[in-house]
Amino acid sequence: MRYTLFLLGFMVISLISAAQMTVKEFNIESQYLNIPVSMEQERQMVKFVEGADTVTYSVIRISDGEPDYWVFKDVSAWKGKTLKMVFSRHVKGLDKIYQSDRFAGQDSLYREINRPQFHFTTRRGWINDPNGLVYHNGEYHLFYQHNPYETQWENMHWGHAVSTDLLHWTELNTALYPDTLGTMFSGSAVIDHNNSAGWGKDAMVAFYTAAGRKMTQNVAWSLDNGRTLTKYDGNPILGPDRDPKVFWYEPAKVWVMVLYDDNFLVIYNSKDLKSWEYKSRNKGFYECPELFELAVDGDQNNRKWVMYGASGTYMTGDFNGEVFTPDAGKYFYSWGSQYAAQTFNNTPDGRRIQIGWGRIEQRGMPFNQMMLFPAELTLRTTREGVRLFCEPVREIGKLHGRKHSWTDLSGAEANEKLHAVNGDLLHLKMDIGIVGWWTFEVLYRGNSLLNFDGNFNRFNGAPYTCDDPGSLRFKVEMLIDRTSVEAFIGNGKLFISEGLKPAKNNDGLQIRGNTWVYSMEVNELNSVYQ
Ligand code: FRU
C-alpha cells in the first residue's frame, strides 16, 4: 500500500514537472543569445540541445520580472542550425531571451564604473581559479573557472583569454562546457613538444577535473592555439579528486601530475599524458597544487623546488621526478584575497609567472571577482633562510603614464607632494622608515590600504620582519586599480592583496605616522582599455 502511494506521488510530481517544462527553439542567425537574470529567482536547470543530443547544461536564474542584469551565450557555432533550450520551469524571462550580434550591455563594456582597468575580469558572470596557464606561439593563455550565467559560483565552465604581454587580455569563447561527466573544475595545460600523446607535435593539452557524481581527471587537446579544445574520447583518465597540475620533468623525460586527493598532494608520472602511474604523496596542503623549480638568488647551480596549495602556504625542497622531499616550511608569502594561484608552463624566458584569483567582490557589476596582477616568483636567501618572493611582472612599466618621484622627505612633506598625483590607477614604489612611534599607514581616499604595526610586527595582520630587524625601514610597492590594491613588501617577501572599500573622501594617497620617506615614485597608470 505504502509503495503504491509512493509510486502515485512520484507520478504526480513527474507530471507536474513535465507540465512546467518549456522548450524553446532558436534558429541561430546571430552570435549571441541574451538571457535576463534576476538574483531573486531560484536557479532552474536549462539544457541546450542540438538534434536529439544534450550539448551542455547549466542552472540559471532566469528572471520572472525585471532582470538585474543580462548574460549571454555565444551560439555562433550553431549558426544555420536549430538550438533547443529546455527549461525546467516557466518564467516570464524565457520570452525575453533574444538573439543578437551584440550582447546586452556590450556598448559600455570595460567602461563600467567598477571595472578593473589593468587586471583581467570577465565580460559577464563569475570567475575563480586561473586554469591551464601556458605560453604558446606568442600568447599567454589564461583559462579560468567561469560561471557565464551569474555573478556567483556555479556551473563551472572553463573560460579563456589570451594576451601577448600579460597586460591586455582578449576574452575568447568558452573553452570547456559541462558534460555528462560533470562540470569543469580546475586544472592545467602543457605544450606537448614531442607529441607524447599522439595528438600532434606541439599540441596544447589541457587537464581538468569533471565534477559529477564523482570527481574524475580528464584531458582535452588543441591544435589551433587553444581556440578549440577537443575532449579525449578515453576520458576519464584518472580517479579522484581534483585540480591536476601537469608539467614536464626534463631529467627523467617524464610528465608529472600533482593532484589534490583526500588531503594529500599526490604525484603521478606519465609517458603519454593519458595513463598515469602513482609515485608518492605529500601531506599538508589543500586544493590547487603547484610544484616548480627555481634558482636560488638567480644561481642556476643552486636550485630548489617549491610546493604550494591554494592558500599559498609553501614548502621548499628537492624533487626527483617522483618524490618531493621538503626541507623547509610551511611558510607563507601571500596574504589577503589571493587564492588558487597557478604558474605558467612553457614561458619563453623561463620566468616563473603566477596569476592568482583575487577573491574580490565587484560591487553592482554584471561580472564578479578578478585575476590578480601577474607576478614573478623567485627564491632568495634571507636572514631566516630561503624564501619565496613575489613581485609584479616588469611589463607593468608599459602602462606607466605620468611619473612623480621624490627623495628624502618627512611624511608630512610627502603628503603635500602627493596632492599632485591624479587618477585612480597607480603604481607606487617607496622606501620608507618609521622615525617615532611604531606604526605607519598608507591611506587612499580615506581608507587604510596598508598598515604596519611595529608592536606586533604585522602588515595588515600578516606577520612580517625586515631583513635588518632593527631598522623599521621598508620597501613598499603597491598597485591600485578601481577595486583592488596589491602590496609587495620588502621586494615581494610579503604579498598582500585586498578589495578597495568605497571612497570616504577625495584624498588620493596619503601617509600617516611619524615617517621618513627615503624615496617615493608614483606612476599614474594607463588603462589597458584605452
Ligand atoms: C578552488 C576550487 C578547486 C575546484 C574549483 C571549482 O577554488 O575549489 O578545488 O577545482 O575551485 O571551481
Side-chain angles (χ1 to χ4, degrees), residues 49-325:
V49 183
E50 185 190 329
D53 297 326
T54 300
V55 194
T56 185
Y57 60 89
S58 278
V59 288
I60 312 183
R61 296 184 197 270
I62 303 176
S63 67
D64 203 15
E66 269 308 294
D68 292 330
Y69 51 88
W70 289 78
V71 295
F72 64 86
K73 178 175 174 62
D74 189 315
V75 287
S76 45
W78 284 277
K79 269 200 188 157
K81 292 186 188 160
T82 304
L83 184 66
K84 253 193 290 184
M85 283 172 86
V86 182
F87 304 93
S88 46
R89 188 156 43 90
H90 191 275
V91 285
K92 291 186 195 124
L94 302 192
D95 302 323
K96 294 190 182 156
I97 297 175
Y98 69 98
Q99 289 191 53
S100 169
D101 283 328
R102 317 268 305 156
F103 61 81
Q106 191 169 351
D107 294 346
S108 52
L109 183 66
Y110 301 132
R111 288 186 281 116
E112 303 96 339
I113 180 142
N114 276 337
R115 173 72 74 173
Q117 295 294 300
F118 63 99
H119 287 83
F120 176 77
T121 48
T122 183
R123 292 169 295 181
R124 290 291 180 270
W126 160 277
I127 61 174
N128 52 291
D129 315 355
N131 295 150
L133 298 188
V134 69
Y135 179 88
H136 187 45
N137 286 340
E139 290 176 322
Y140 292 92
H141 290 261
L142 164 62
F143 297 91
Y144 46 89
Q145 292 288 280
H146 188 206
N147 180 2
Y149 304 119
E150 198 184 308
T151 54
Q152 296 300 317
W153 185 93
E154 244 304 344
N155 300 319
M156 284 297 117
H157 292 55
W158 270 33
H160 187 198
V162 289
S163 171
T164 54
D165 61 4
L166 295 167
L167 301 169
H168 301 82
W169 294 95
T170 304
E171 187 170 351
L172 303 174
N173 286 344
T174 296
L176 293 174
Y177 289 91
D179 60 30
T180 50
L181 291 174
T183 52
M184 303 286 103
F185 273 23
S186 287
S188 56
V190 297
I191 303 304
D192 186 6
H193 294 300
N194 304 323
N195 194 16
S196 340
W199 289 313
K201 187 176 151 33
D202 294 329
M204 181 184 293
V205 183
F207 297 84
Y208 60 93
T209 299
R213 263 179 311 162
K214 328 181 270 194
M215 299 250 194
T216 55
Q217 311 324 313
N218 298 270
V219 60
W221 51 275
S222 164
L223 292 175
D224 61 355
N225 298 315
R227 268 45 177 193
T228 41
L229 285 177
T230 306
K231 289 172 178 169
Y232 171 48
D233 53 18
N235 281 336
I237 52 166
L238 202 63
D241 193 316
R242 62 183 186 273
D243 308 338
K245 168 75 198 211
V246 176
F247 61 91
W248 176 250
Y249 182 73
E250 178 59 27
K253 303 223 179 303
V254 75
W255 293 102
V256 177
M257 180 191 288
V258 196
L259 188 67
Y260 171 71
D261 185 9
D262 199 19
N263 294 321
F264 288 91
L265 297 192
V266 185
I267 294 172
Y268 292 86
N269 279 180
S270 174
K271 288 282 180 198
D272 66 358
L273 292 169
K274 294 170 190 159
S275 56
W276 292 87
E277 198 181 325
Y278 172 90
K279 289 296 171 188
S280 65
R281 57 185 198 172
N282 294 80
K283 206 161 171 67
F285 296 102
Y286 181 58
E287 314 188 307
C288 303
E290 259 292 3
L291 179 60
F292 50 83
E293 192 183 28
L294 284 172
V296 180
D297 303 316
D299 176 0
Q300 297 300 333
N301 297 318
N302 179 18
R303 302 173 70 87
K304 267 186 188 297
W305 286 77
V306 175
M307 180 177 261
Y308 71 57
S311 69
T313 55
Y314 67 98
M315 296 176 190
T316 57
D318 290 326
F319 179 60
N320 63 6
E322 299 183 357
V323 180
F324 172 74
T325 313

